[in-house]
């Protein structure tokens, strides 16, 4: 069992199909890519070249700090001579900050990849990207890295991973969110985060979304087998390894309903 594109769609309600989340010129740190990154930030966020250069020097890479981003749209109370950038620049700043805190969080917890900003240049196109597929690739890569002996931390949107666990495994102390609104909010909001959760791995919900698909049919994207991409990272997606377990359980029980049983 593994998290899939359908999980991304159901849990977060973000698109898993659309334009590839990838840009050119920012894969490696070079003098040219650094210069391009500084110009991009200055243009799209409405910040002077000098301010961006100073920030990139502090961040040391093709990144900027989250605290610096936040100060662009949320200046300290009482600050004098505060000038606000155009609305479009403020919107890009906030979206970049949001992506870095959720779908593409890094291990530092404090830096943001400038490459993501390129995807926010045309705000009308932001909703056309396959954010869910890109986030799944990012999750796969960092879950793989976290299994190595020398690695002690993990990046990614761990709230998503926690929500997936709650959907598929019977947890004795998982707390439902009383304010959750089905079909309105993402399913990841169904649960309240707790630290003292008890897991019962003998009971697995193989298909938690069976009553949340139109006519109970699996979304076509659940059958996609291939290599989704995020920036320069490509990871294989093998839905047949997941769906075989669901189908086998359905055949065993004689029903396609929510199958819960031994692993």
């Amino acid at each position: 069992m593994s998290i899939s594109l359908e999980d991304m769609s159901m849990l977060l309600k973000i698109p898993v199909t659309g334009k590839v989340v990838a840009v050119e010129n920012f894969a490696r740190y070079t003098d040219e890519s650094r210069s391009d990154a500084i110009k991009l930030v200055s243009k799209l966020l409405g910040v002077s070249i000098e301010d961006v250069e100073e920030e990139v020097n502090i961040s040391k890479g093709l990144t900027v700090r989250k605290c610096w981003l936040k100060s662009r749209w949320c200046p300290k109370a009482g600050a004098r001579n505060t000038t606000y950038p155009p609305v479009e620049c403020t919107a890009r700043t906030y979206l970049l900050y949001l992506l870095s805190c959720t779908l593409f969080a890094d291990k530092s917890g404090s830096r943001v990849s400038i490459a993501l900003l390129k995807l926010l240049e045309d705000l009308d196109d932001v909703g056309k990207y396959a954010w869910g597929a890109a986030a799944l690739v990012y999750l796969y890569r960092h879950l793989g890295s976290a299994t190595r002996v020398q690695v002690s931390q993990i990046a990614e949107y761990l709230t998503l991973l926690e929500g997936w666990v709650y959907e598929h495994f019977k947890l004795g102390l998982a707390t439902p969110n009383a304010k959750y609104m089905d079909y309105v909010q993402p399913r990841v909001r169904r649960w309240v985060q707790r630290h003292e959760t008890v897991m019962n791995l003998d009971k697995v919900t193989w298909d938690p979304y069976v009553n949340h698909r139109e006519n109970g049919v699996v979304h076509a994207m659940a059958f996609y087998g291939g290599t989704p991409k995020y920036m320069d990272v490509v990871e294989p997606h093998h839905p047949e390894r997941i769906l075989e377990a669901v189908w086998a359980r359905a055949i065993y029980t004689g029903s396609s309903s929510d199958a819960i049983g031994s692993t």
Side-chain angles (χ1 to χ4, degrees), residues 9-256:
S9 178
M10 288 290 186
L11 288 171
L12 299 183
K13 291 188 180 296
I14 58 177
V16 294
T17 60
K19 299 172 66 175
V20 177
V21 179
V23 297
E24 298 179 357
N25 303 329
F26 296 110
R28 296 185 299 112
Y29 184 89
T30 63
D31 290 341
E32 182 180 0
S33 64
R34 181 181 183 277
S35 177
D36 289 344
I38 291 173
K39 292 176 183 177
L40 182 70
V41 175
S42 177
K43 173 186 174 183
L44 299 187
L45 300 189
V47 185
S48 69
I49 290 288
E50 293 74 20
D51 285 347
V52 180
E53 284 184 336
E54 180 182 357
E55 175 57 28
V56 170
N57 288 336
I58 294 173
S59 188
K60 297 180 180 179
L62 299 178
T63 62
V64 294
R65 294 170 299 164
K66 290 181 183 177
C67 61
W68 182 83
L69 267 185
K70 189 173 182 180
S71 69
R72 298 299 98 189
W73 91 83
C74 186
K76 294 181 179 179
R80 296 182 178 180
N81 301 322
T82 299
T83 58
Y84 294 90
V87 173
E88 292 83 359
C89 296
T90 302
R92 293 190 191 98
T93 304
Y94 177 75
L95 288 173
L96 183 60
Y97 182 88
L98 181 65
L99 288 171
S100 69
C101 290
T102 54
L103 301 182
F104 308 111
D106 72 354
K107 291 182 181 180
S108 73
S110 62
R111 294 191 298 270
V112 184
S113 170
I114 294 174
L116 286 170
L117 181 58
K118 181 66 177 177
L119 303 171
L120 307 178
E121 183 170 6
D122 187 344
L123 293 175
D124 291 333
D125 278 352
V126 171
K128 299 177 183 179
Y129 286 97
W131 295 109
L136 182 62
V137 171
Y138 193 74
L139 174 63
Y140 279 169
R141 177 57 57 93
H142 286 283
L143 285 176
S145 298
T147 62
R148 298 173 184 172
V149 174
Q150 67 273 24
V151 176
S152 59
Q153 293 178 306
I154 184 173
E156 238 293 324
Y157 187 27
L158 296 184
T159 299
L160 163 66
L161 188 59
E162 184 177 11
W164 176 81
V165 171
Y166 286 164
E167 289 285 347
H168 288 273
F169 298 95
K170 290 299 178 181
L171 305 177
L173 295 178
T175 306
N177 180 5
K179 298 181 180 180
Y180 171 71
M181 294 181 288
D182 204 6
Y183 295 102
V184 176
Q185 296 176 311
R187 283 177 66 87
V188 75
R189 296 289 302 276
R190 290 181 66 203
W191 312 102
V192 176
Q193 186 178 29
R194 294 187 60 147
H195 296 291
E196 63 277 13
T197 298
V198 176
M199 299 182 67
N200 180 1
L201 297 181
D202 291 332
K203 298 295 181 179
V204 177
T205 304
W206 294 103
D207 190 7
Y209 316 121
V210 64
N211 296 320
H212 293 266
R213 303 188 192 94
E214 185 178 359
N215 300 322
V217 178
V218 178
H219 190 284
M221 181 47 61
F223 296 97
Y224 168 76
T227 52
K229 180 179 181 180
Y230 167 69
M231 299 302 179
D232 60 337
V233 179
V234 177
E235 291 286 340
H237 179 251
H238 295 299
E240 68 278 3
R241 298 181 181 179
I242 304 168
L243 295 175
E244 282 177 0
V246 177
W247 293 330
R249 188 62 188 171
I251 293 173
Y252 177 76
T253 59
S255 171
S256 61

